[in-house]
Amino acid sequence: MKRAWPWAALLLALAFPFFVQGTSFAYLARVGGIVGLFMLLGLGLNFTLGCVGLFDLGYIAFYAIGAYAAAIAQRAGASAPAAIVLAVAAAAAARALLGVTILRLRGDYLAVVTMGFGEITRLSLNNLDAWTNGPKGLQLPPWRPLAFLSADPNVQYDLLIAAAVALACLVSRRLEDSRVGRAWVAIREDETAACLSGIPVRRYELLAFALSGAFAGLAGALFALWEQFVTPESFVFWESVLVVAIVVLGGMGSTAGVLLGAAVLSGVPLVLQATLSPEWINDRYLFFGLILVLVVLFRPQGLLPSARREAELSS
Amino acid sequence: MLVQQLLNALTLGAIYALIALGYTLVYGILAMINFAHSEVLMLGAFAAWALAGWAPAALGSGLWGAAGLLAAGMLGAGLVNVLIERLAYRRLRRAPRLAPLISAIGVSIVLQNAVFLWVSTQSLAFPQPAGTSAVSFLGASINGLQLAILGAALGLMILLHLFIARTRMGRAMRACADDLEAAKLMGVNADFVIAVTFFVGGALGGAAGVLYGMNYGSIKYNMGFLPGIKAFTAAVLGGIGSVRGAVLGGFLLGFLEVLAAGYIPNGAQWRDVVAFAALILVLLARPSGLLGERAAQKV
Amino acid sequence: MSYDREMSFSRSRAFFFAAVALSACGPKEKVVKIAVAVPLTGDMGTEGQGIRRAVELAVEQANAAKRFPYKLAAAPYDDRADPKEAVNVANLIASDRQVVAVIGPYNSGCAIPAGKVYARAPVAMISPTATNPEVTVQQLSKDWIGPRVVFRVAPTDDVQSAYAAEYIFRRLGKRRMAVLHDKTPYGQGLAEQFQKAFGALGGRILSVDGISVGDKDFKALLTRIKADSGRPEGLYFGGLYAEAGLLLKQMRELGLDDPFVFVSGDGAKTPTLFDVSGDAADGAYFSIFGVPVEELPGAGRFVADYKARWGAQSLKPFDHFGYEAAQIIFDALERSGPDRERVLAQLRQTRHQGVLGLTVFDEKGDTLNKIVSMTRARAKDRSFQMVR
């Protein structure tokens, strides 16, 4: 195993915001944080989509639940760390609960039900004005735990998110090569066979759902605390599609692939925004769509497919 | 009020059903969700709009003109769909199951932005056939246009049924949907059948786009998105891959939405919530949709 | 203050990058940028593109008139009406020292978090359209970091709808109204304030419903409103022209004709409304902020110039707000020179007579201009006539 490069990448991720802060490239700290949030989301969705193979088009709902749980808790007087824990728990519980309800469903039926759940969540946040303040959104008091390192909140949250991504990678990698990971692969390949081999299929599927909910909740809470503001406009269907694209394009079931997918898909629009001249700015998403099509045509198995998957595909 | 709501539901349902048919036909053969279908329907409407702008006099404003627009929309959308299949999906036929989905999302983004760059983001007036004033019937004012739309949609569905059930090509399509490999071995030109399927599905989507534009009198570059995901929902509700299921699902969704908006106090803002909640309940009871035969494989 | 230390510490590095950039470009005319951060694509792209065109027109005019000893440029950024992207864009703009002021964001959901970023820069931001009071009120919070940089030329929700309520109750003599809104901060804000004002006058609100932006079919809802046992005499709608046009069209199809009135706000008052509604909009009422642009001498010229530059069809409901924001920034620039902090200081002193009437900002950055007028749509020439 090449042990060195993940640590080098982490070190680079932690150092680079300090290098750019205050320069005319300061927005890169923001870019890094946003890419990091999508890495968290991608790794979270990877448990259910990549590892167990459950197709999901409403994942952003749990990001929203995490963000709103953190916002409501913090506004009610909870400390920010407590709000984060609560958000993670709420999102994990909600996703496990949804999992219990809909695990009978498969394939595209699962996709459309999760899409429905995502829309129900967004519309409920928009319509339940008494709790969520509806379309006007909720303001949060600032939380700056790393103020001693940098005055720039973008740098602070970049570091926090990088730490969260590192943690998420660690969890993902450990699980991938563990009994749990092997059980997931067995379920993905043949559920009936897995069941007959004595794998408690439902329990492992629920674990995948709860974990992926927890990751989304963590990402949502960090997002809410960073922006100090949540509104339903942030949690639209398109974001769910983007996270699915991150996992598929990166390489389903591959931690490194998901990280790369997140960097490419959430980074490209930001880079285009910064580099396109006024005459071309309207064409930004045209280019984005073209890149998406071309990448998938030439790398249908993903940018960095997991070794296990690649072996399956070539056989 | 009841008669009017019934007609509202039927019109909405008929349009959903037409779009859902496009999803289900493609799914039946390739087992993929054609995510770009909502853009195909939008392009159908824009093809008709372009024709109306180019030759307004030749078309006239009556029902024959409307039929011409419908034909233009169907032709344009069908061709676009065939082109999409050739460029963005064919290479991926043996790829992992979700790869074509991502390609479809990319195509959808490209098409939407291309139209936006072509005509700008604004709503454009779409020609509505003249002579469709309100008729009074059972105490409700029935809109002639709505009746015409309903008639056109039902007519297309019957034509599709005849095409699939009675023609040689229809038989080939059914064979491919049953088992693509086996059909190939029996000498069916699978590439051609798939192209025809995409054309037919796209044409139905284009028809829906034109009828949608006529019904509401305006079109916009992102008009396909909402009806697209609704119709996708309808197709799954009915059992994706099943033609009758798509029609049933479309009408059912139309009724659910009208019921929610029309009869629940403050229901309009909960309309989609009601529709999706009902969908979830139906699928929990029947995990492969109302008329679906088998659950799809995992990804 | 650690905040200031941070700025000076980092500036030396900024100069290093700037020097690298300059050496690559060679000698050039000095350019001062005004950022336009609005949705250019996505659902609200239509309105954002209109504002972009208005600002570009203003900049072209200022350059043509040689109003400044340097070249002005409008720098457009696309936030897609997504709060996350608006903050991304704000960070990008904040780190571009050529930008002296920002016009945008379009919607309140974007303006609230983006404002916090602009305050830290600090660079002044004028939202042409955000109506949620929180956009400026948040600056009074103890949590606010940096100076107060947020201004807006649009009035908050209560100003417009209170006038509409009064007009409907007194002038039109209607007592029973149904209310609809599009579940956006703008539309819902208008509708909520309308309910309050109309109720306070003694009128009755029979029903309140929310719809979704992008919905096309309101027949089920309108059929129910028509059958309401309270016999509504009109419909107040908080939202934009796309939905307003469809509502009008479907209302008429269902036989909700005169004397049943339709009243809405400035977000629906645009010639494009007639593309959606056809003749059905005829006779509908739209309250607008200020007096109709057609009635102000300066504003009439703006409309003419805009149509000459961008075509007759391209004018959108909030374009004159964008144009006005640009003019207000020009005024401040003229007095201050191209420097962010000095532009900000001068903006607070604004006293601008333009297409919206007289704009003076209060201590929060809200405009003190609270003049509202009522207009009535006329389908035969796609115009809006002022009514008293």
Side-chain angles (χ1 to χ4, degrees), chain B:
Chain B
M1 174 160 158
L2 185 68
V3 179
Q4 181 59 50
Q5 297 290 37
L6 221 58
L7 186 65
N8 294 341
L10 282 172
T11 322
L12 199 61
I15 293 179
Y16 285 160
L18 276 185
I19 310 169
L21 282 170
Y23 279 108
T24 231
L25 284 176
V26 167
Y27 190 93
I29 285 197
L30 292 183
M32 71 161 284
I33 305 168
N34 184 6
F35 228 84
H37 194 60
S38 44
E39 266 50 65
V40 170
L41 106 101
M42 176 269 290
L43 281 169
F46 272 89
W49 173 82
L51 179 74
W54 178 60
L59 281 167
S61 59
L63 280 176
W64 283 114
L69 291 182
L70 194 64
M74 290 176 72
L75 188 68
L79 290 177
V80 167
N81 216 20
V82 171
L83 204 67
I84 294 174
E85 191 274 328
R86 182 72 196 82
L87 294 178
Y89 303 157
R90 188 171 292 183
R91 266 183 74 103
L92 297 174
R93 226 176 265 165
R94 295 192 164 277
R97 234 179 67 76
L98 283 184
L101 178 87
I102 303 302
S103 181
I105 292 167
V107 168
S108 169
I109 297 173
V110 169
L111 290 177
Q112 206 182 91
N113 280 278
V115 171
F116 145 61
L117 293 168
W118 167 38
V119 295
S120 95
T121 55
Q122 67 191 26
S123 299
L124 303 160
F126 195 85
Q128 290 181 299
T132 50
S133 53
V135 195
S136 197
F137 176 72
L138 287 181
S141 68
I142 299 288
N143 183 332
L145 180 62
Q146 272 182 309
L147 283 179
I149 288 171
L150 191 57
L154 290 176
L156 285 170
M157 286 176 216
I158 292 168
L159 278 180
L160 176 75
H161 172 73
L162 292 177
F163 177 71
I164 293 179
R166 298 283 168 80
T167 64
R168 230 180 118 75
M169 182 47 77
R171 202 162 63 204
M173 279 167 70
R174 277 181 288 144
C176 287
D178 250 11
D179 189 332
L180 193 61
E181 295 309 314
K184 272 187 196 161
L185 293 175
M186 297 297 130
V188 175
N189 181 351
D191 278 345
F192 184 66
V193 174
I194 289 173
V196 170
T197 308
F198 269 85
F199 182 83
V200 173
L204 290 172
V210 173
L211 295 178
Y212 200 73
M214 279 183 192
N215 193 18
Y216 304 119
S218 63
I219 57 174
K220 201 176 170 183
Y221 77 106
N222 60 1
M223 63 180 272
F225 175 71
L226 270 180
I229 60 166
K230 295 271 180 66
F232 169 52
T233 305
V236 174
L237 189 63
I240 191 146
S242 152
V243 170
R244 276 177 304 164
V247 175
L248 179 68
F251 281 109
L252 197 64
L253 195 66
F255 272 96
L256 274 173
E257 289 195 357
V258 167
L259 210 66
Y263 292 95
I264 300 176
N266 205 8
Q269 58 177 298
W270 294 102
R271 174 165 103 170
D272 293 356
V273 174
V274 170
F276 283 122
L279 167 90
I280 293 177
L281 290 179
V282 169
L283 286 185
L284 287 178
R286 290 192 61 91
S288 32
L290 292 170
L291 301 179
E293 286 135 25
R294 60 197 146 89
Q297 282 302 303
K298 279 204 248 175
V299 289

Side-chain angles (χ1 to χ4, degrees), chain A residues 18-27 30-31 34 38 63 123 126-129 133-137 139-142 144 150-154 223 227-229 231 233-234 238-239 242 269-270 273-274 277-279 281-285, chain C residues 2-3 6 9-11 13-14 17-18 40-41 44 49 52 56 74-85 87-89 91-92 95-96 107-110 112-113 116 120 132 134 138 143 145 157 182-185 188-189 192 212:
Chain A
F18 290 102
F19 187 69
V20 297
Q21 71 173 335
T23 69
S24 44
F25 293 94
Y27 69 91
R30 167 77 186 177
V31 173
I34 289 292
F38 278 98
Y63 184 54
L123 289 166
N126 206 32
N127 289 346
L128 294 172
D129 294 58
N133 202 23
K136 291 178 186 163
Q139 290 260 30
L140 278 74
R144 302 273 181 265
S150 165
D152 184 347
N154 288 344
F223 176 63
E227 305 289 71
Q228 294 176 242
F229 181 65
T231 152
E233 286 164 330
S234 293
W238 157 250
E239 303 279 316
L242 187 64
L270 295 173
Q273 175 88 261
S277 66
E279 302 86 69
I281 192 83
N282 291 350
D283 306 50
R284 188 162 65 113
Y285 271 82
Chain C
S2 63
Y3 167 75
E6 177 52 42
F9 161 74
S10 58
R11 211 163 273 167
R13 219 181 297 162
F17 281 105
L40 297 175
T41 61
M44 312 205 177
Q49 292 282 359
R52 174 190 173 174
E56 283 181 351
Y77 296 86
D78 174 23
D79 67 25
R80 293 177 75 74
D82 171 358
K84 159 172 56 68
E85 291 237 35
V87 175
N88 296 345
V89 160
N91 278 291
L92 187 56
S95 50
D96 181 351
N107 46 334
S108 301
C110 289
I112 290 172
K116 299 183 209 282
R120 283 198 312 267
N132 184 345
E134 191 63 22
Q138 62 170 349
D143 298 329
I145 300 166
D157 309 320
D182 63 2
K183 282 306 293 184
T184 64
Q188 186 170 349
E192 280 171 359
S212 310

Side-chain angles (χ1 to χ4, degrees), chain A:
Chain A
M1 266 321 275
K2 291 160 280 180
R3 283 275 165 79
W5 74 262
W7 294 107
L10 179 63
L11 213 64
L12 191 71
L14 292 175
F16 109 94
F18 290 102
F19 187 69
V20 297
Q21 71 173 335
T23 69
S24 44
F25 293 94
Y27 69 91
L28 286 177
R30 167 77 186 177
V31 173
I34 289 292
V35 168
L37 285 178
F38 278 98
M39 285 176 171
L40 271 181
L41 289 171
L43 289 173
L45 185 64
N46 191 35
F47 287 126
T48 52
L49 177 62
C51 299
V52 191
L54 300 169
F55 185 19
D56 186 333
L57 279 176
Y59 186 56
I60 220 68
F62 304 94
Y63 184 54
I65 288 172
Y68 269 88
I72 292 170
Q74 209 200 7
R75 285 167 62 92
S79 71
I84 295 178
V85 172
L86 200 77
V88 170
R95 193 152 170 83
L97 203 67
L98 181 76
V100 176
T101 329
I102 64 170
L103 267 181
R104 278 183 67 198
L105 299 172
R106 282 295 168 264
D108 301 307
Y109 295 95
L110 192 65
V112 79
V113 162
T114 47
M115 177 183 90
F117 183 78
E119 283 299 282
I120 287 176
T121 305
R122 184 183 61 82
L123 289 166
S124 301
L125 292 173
N126 206 32
N127 289 346
L128 294 172
D129 294 58
W131 296 332
T132 63
N133 202 23
K136 291 178 186 163
L138 289 173
Q139 290 260 30
L140 278 74
W143 182 58
R144 302 273 181 265
L146 302 179
F148 62 92
L149 285 174
S150 165
D152 184 347
N154 288 344
V155 175
Q156 297 170 27
Y157 277 87
D158 203 16
L159 295 175
L160 271 180
I161 291 166
V165 171
L167 181 73
C169 287
L170 203 67
V171 172
S172 298
R173 290 292 301 166
R174 298 299 285 207
L175 282 177
E176 221 171 275
D177 297 331
S178 74
R179 194 184 171 77
V180 179
R182 285 195 302 275
W184 281 341
V185 173
I187 296 169
R188 183 181 74 203
E189 294 314 319
D190 190 332
E191 195 172 323
T192 319
C195 196
L196 291 173
S197 319
I199 296 172
V201 171
R202 284 286 169 273
R203 203 183 304 160
Y204 277 118
E205 283 184 341
L206 276 183
L207 179 66
F209 263 92
L211 267 174
S212 97
F215 277 32
L218 178 62
L222 288 172
F223 176 63
L225 291 165
W226 188 9
E227 305 289 71
Q228 294 176 242
F229 181 65
V230 286
T231 152
E233 286 164 330
S234 293
F235 309 107
V236 292
F237 175 59
W238 157 250
E239 303 279 316
S240 289
V241 174
L242 187 64
V243 182
V244 171
I246 283 171
V247 175
V248 177
L249 202 75
M252 291 213 294
S254 144
T255 303
V258 171
L259 295 182
L260 185 63
V264 171
L265 287 189
S266 62
V268 162
L270 295 173
V271 170
L272 288 175
Q273 175 88 261
T275 51
L276 287 179
S277 66
E279 302 86 69
W280 289 98
I281 192 83
N282 291 350
D283 306 50
R284 188 162 65 113
Y285 271 82
L286 186 76
F287 295 137
F288 178 71
L290 280 174
I291 292 171
L292 203 57
V293 175
L294 290 176
V295 170
V296 88
L297 283 181
F298 290 102
R299 297 282 300 175
Q301 72 279 38
L303 293 168
L304 284 177
S306 74
R308 207 178 256 148
R309 279 231 150 180
E310 192 142 63
E312 287 160 18
L313 285 168
S314 55
S315 64

Side-chain angles (χ1 to χ4, degrees), chain C residues 213-265:
Chain C
V213 172
D215 269 3
K216 299 276 182 192
D217 208 303
F218 309 113
K219 292 202 185 94
L221 180 61
L222 289 168
T223 305
R224 196 184 79 213
I225 289 174
K226 190 185 173 195
D228 194 315
S229 56
R231 288 180 295 115
E233 297 172 286
L235 178 64
Y236 183 83
F237 174 62
L240 300 179
Y241 70 91
E243 284 76 32
L246 288 168
L247 277 168
L248 277 161
K249 193 172 190 130
Q250 294 170 19
M251 254 173 61
R252 306 298 187 217
E253 282 168 10
L254 293 173
L256 283 167
D257 295 315
D258 204 46
F260 188 91
V261 293
F262 179 93
V263 185
S264 189

